[in-house]
Amino acid sequence: METTSYNGKLLRINLTNSQITSESLNLDLAKKFIGARGLGTKILMDEINPTIDPLSDDNKLIIMTGALTGAAVPTGGRYVVVTKSPLTGMIACSNSGGEWGAKLKYAGFDGIIFEGKAQSPVYLSICDEKVELKPAEALWGKTSSETEEILKAEYEKSSVLNIGPGGENKSLMAAIMNDADRAAGRSGVGAVMGSKNLKAIVVQASRNNIPVTDSEAMRKEMLIAMKKIKEDGVTGTGLPTYGTAVLVNIINETGSFPTDNWQGSYDENAEIISGETLAEKYLKGTYHCHRCPIGCGRVVEREGKNIGGPEYETLWAYGGNCGVHDIPTINEANFWCNELGIDSISVPCTIASAMELYQKGYISEEECDGVPLTFGSKEAVVEWTKRIGLSQGKLGALMAKGSQRLCDAYGHPEFSMSVKKQELPAYDARGIQGIGLNYATSNRGGCHVRGYMISPEILAHPELLDRTKTEDKATWTKIFQDLTAVIDSMGMCLFTSFALGADDYANFLNAGTGTTHTVDSLLEAGERIYNLERIFNKKAGMKAEDDSLPKRLTEDSIVDGPSQGQKNHLNIMLPEYYAARGWVNAFPTEETLIRLGLEENDRS
Ligand code: SF4
């Protein structure tokens, strides 16, 4: 076999009959879809009927490393989880850093396909080639950190991936956790793992590197990339100093920082929950994922112990969106998201929707069971986070299904600030036009990291676009979405893209896998992945009208701050975007599918 950064091996675990098989990876297919997100989507597409119930035994949980996960590239340690989402009913692809992905690669596997459902709770242990399913009754009900502690005590120098009670209870916002506080957080992937009675995967590996096709070319590109990352203002200074929370003040100053469930867009108290305040008063250290020179992870203290600190999205979601301007409270709520294994974006955004329902009299005092859902209540955000994670009480169990199902149940779907039933992140798309187009067309629903238009619209990377205008946003959104699909599939962190260009990623991938990508062919590979996800969604029942934004963003103007008076003009951008993609009514034309070599995948 040619030397590449792929191991050439997949694990298949049938949980129903406990059968464990190791099978060869089709290298041609791997190269066509790169790895991780792309390859995982292709396998899911080939192996399940997209119309199945996501929480049934028929769904598969695919955990896949990237083409360069484990290789000597900056941030090259990521893995993705691909499955059918119980939250959106469409494709789920959630990725995470830490050490776990690299460990799996070092143990000798490119990915794991879980199918069926175990009779009772189990965990998977991988010690290099030795792979075993073991009983996990004693772990069931434990929080994420408790599970990790128990398994790490038994498996020296291991890395642990697990679900908390959120996944066990099949909260549609359940995450998969690894390495303490790293999370594949979005789209309810933890609920799929819980539905299979799979509690954890512990990995031990003797190796700590993998071969690549051209190590000299890899070394050269590594030196170039490290210099660029160190010299760039975002990756060299902003993220290492303040973490992603560096964005609190920046976004607020544009008047695009949603408050009180997006009723406002400018937060007079943003400074209190900013990255600067976090760094000055609460920061105990920083965290670096595998081979990461940036180190955006925050470390804060709770009850005398160091724990993971909040990201920008979490500071905003509890801070601006729920009105709690208190970092210790946000740290506490974030801690419970991690312990219970639930998404620290969707959960506080669902609480914010519930707060608006309560504010307007649709949720009663009695239903709040002693903890009123009042905007600004410190007690409410912590307590309702726990109730959601534990699916506790009638309202807690309903809220565990996410904001859309909650608001539908109260007859006010307009209070769910979501796309395709997944809660929107921290940028008001009325003040920043292109991010709205990205939200609307994201294959996994409301999400910023499928095509991070904040880069050109706010941070001037690679150049500054006028955030208030719709011109050129369609083509830029397509490029960002396609490049992101490539980076996710390579197993690198999206944050490197502030400093690196498509040429750098092509050089890395070619050195690692022996491909001969140009910038154009690399972006086309990303486009292929994006279109494949779209075909999955079409087969799963997606309709053209699902590419939309909450009415509040397209019909109601911003009422306060520097972007007052603005709305999102999705109606102008969407047709331009479909034209740029070669899509009609939200789906690829036959001509586009043929160009991308995907025509077989669209057959029913
Ligand atoms: S930049 Fe942050 S999220 Fe990305 S790999 Fe580094 S520490 Fe992890």
Side-chain angles (χ1 to χ4, degrees), residues 176-487:
I176 291 177
M177 308 299 300
N178 65 282
D179 302 303
D181 60 351
R182 302 287 105 186
R186 307 227 68 196
S187 309
V189 294
V192 177
M193 189 159 157
S195 76
K196 297 191 172 304
N197 270 335
L198 178 63
K199 177 68 178 174
I201 310 169
V202 55
V203 185
Q204 282 179 323
S206 322
R207 279 193 303 175
N208 61 7
N209 56 38
I210 51 168
V212 295
T213 304
D214 187 341
S215 53
E216 185 52 24
M218 183 69 90
R219 194 185 66 79
K220 277 189 189 151
E221 183 55 38
M222 180 71 166
L223 292 175
I224 292 167
M226 288 297 282
K227 187 164 183 291
K228 288 184 180 179
I229 287 169
K230 287 288 171 209
E231 286 175 358
D232 179 82
V234 177
T235 53
T237 308
L239 286 171
T241 311
Y242 301 115
T244 52
V246 68
L247 286 166
V248 171
N249 284 329
I250 294 171
I251 301 300
N252 193 48
E253 287 313 309
T254 69
S256 306
F257 191 81
T259 60
D260 295 352
N261 198 36
W262 301 65
Q263 296 181 80
S265 304
Y266 179 73
D267 191 339
E268 289 183 351
N269 296 310
E271 180 64 37
I272 300 171
I273 52 167
S274 67
E276 289 82 345
T277 305
L278 178 65
E280 193 189 320
K281 293 190 178 168
Y282 305 102
L283 197 66
K284 294 292 171 200
T286 59
Y287 175 83
H288 296 246
C289 298
H290 185 79
R291 288 194 204 272
C292 175
I294 302 168
C296 77
R298 304 292 91 182
V299 177
V300 295
E301 192 179 298
R302 178 184 184 270
E303 296 179 355
K305 278 173 79 175
N306 282 350
I307 59 165
E311 302 270 352
Y312 164 63
E313 304 296 332
T314 309
L315 282 160
W316 158 75
Y318 283 111
N321 213 27
C322 291
V324 174
H325 298 95
D326 183 62
I327 289 180
T329 302
I330 298 172
N331 287 344
E332 183 70 9
N334 184 57
F335 168 79
W336 282 108
C337 282
N338 291 340
E339 282 297 297
L340 298 171
I342 45 178
D343 178 13
S344 66
I345 298 176
S346 279
V347 168
C349 288
T350 299
I351 294 173
S353 291
M355 286 177 162
E356 188 170 355
L357 287 166
Y358 176 71
Q359 179 189 50
K360 296 186 171 162
Y362 302 114
I363 288 179
S364 68
E365 186 90 36
E366 197 185 353
E367 286 173 290
C368 292
D369 197 14
V371 186
L373 282 153
T374 312
F375 280 113
S377 166
K378 295 178 192 174
E379 185 192 8
V381 293
V382 175
E383 178 61 21
W384 283 98
T385 295
K386 291 184 196 171
R387 290 183 186 182
I388 288 171
L390 297 170
S391 290
Q392 191 182 311
K394 194 172 167 206
L395 187 54
L398 177 58
M399 286 168 69
K401 297 179 193 297
S403 65
Q404 188 68 67
R405 290 167 176 88
L406 168 76
C407 295
D408 285 351
Y410 282 91
H412 286 278
E414 71 276 15
F415 295 163
S416 170
M417 298 305 293
S418 61
V419 168
K420 300 181 178 76
K421 298 192 180 77
Q422 178 158 277
E423 290 68 25
L424 294 176
Y427 314 88
D428 195 319
R430 291 169 288 191
I432 311 170
Q433 294 293 317
I435 196 71
L437 178 62
N438 172 64
Y439 289 160
T441 58
S442 158
N443 286 323
R444 75 167 183 181
C447 173
H448 54 306
V449 288
R450 296 291 95 164
Y452 192 60
M453 285 297 288
I454 300 306
S455 247
E457 294 187 288
I458 302 290
L459 301 172
H461 276 60
E463 62 183 77
L464 184 62
L465 304 180
D466 186 337
R467 65 183 172 82
T468 66
K469 298 270 179 3
T470 59
E471 282 81 23
D472 299 331
K473 298 299 168 68
T475 43
W476 276 95
T477 297
K478 176 182 178 297
I479 291 169
F480 268 80
Q481 289 175 338
D482 293 347
L483 183 61
T484 301
V486 168
I487 298 168

Side-chain angles (χ1 to χ4, degrees), residues 2-7 27 30-32 34-35 66-69 71 105 110 210-215 218 489-490 505-517 522:
E2 61 182 304
T3 302
T4 73
S5 51
Y6 301 109
N7 281 313
L27 273 186
K31 288 182 182 180
K32 184 172 177 183
I34 304 178
L68 297 182
T69 301
K105 199 78 171 270
D110 294 302
I210 51 168
V212 295
T213 304
D214 187 341
S215 53
M218 183 69 90
S489 301
M490 287 173 64
Y505 295 111
N507 291 342
F508 271 133
L509 191 59
N510 293 341
T513 67
T515 50
T516 54
H517 276 298
L522 192 71

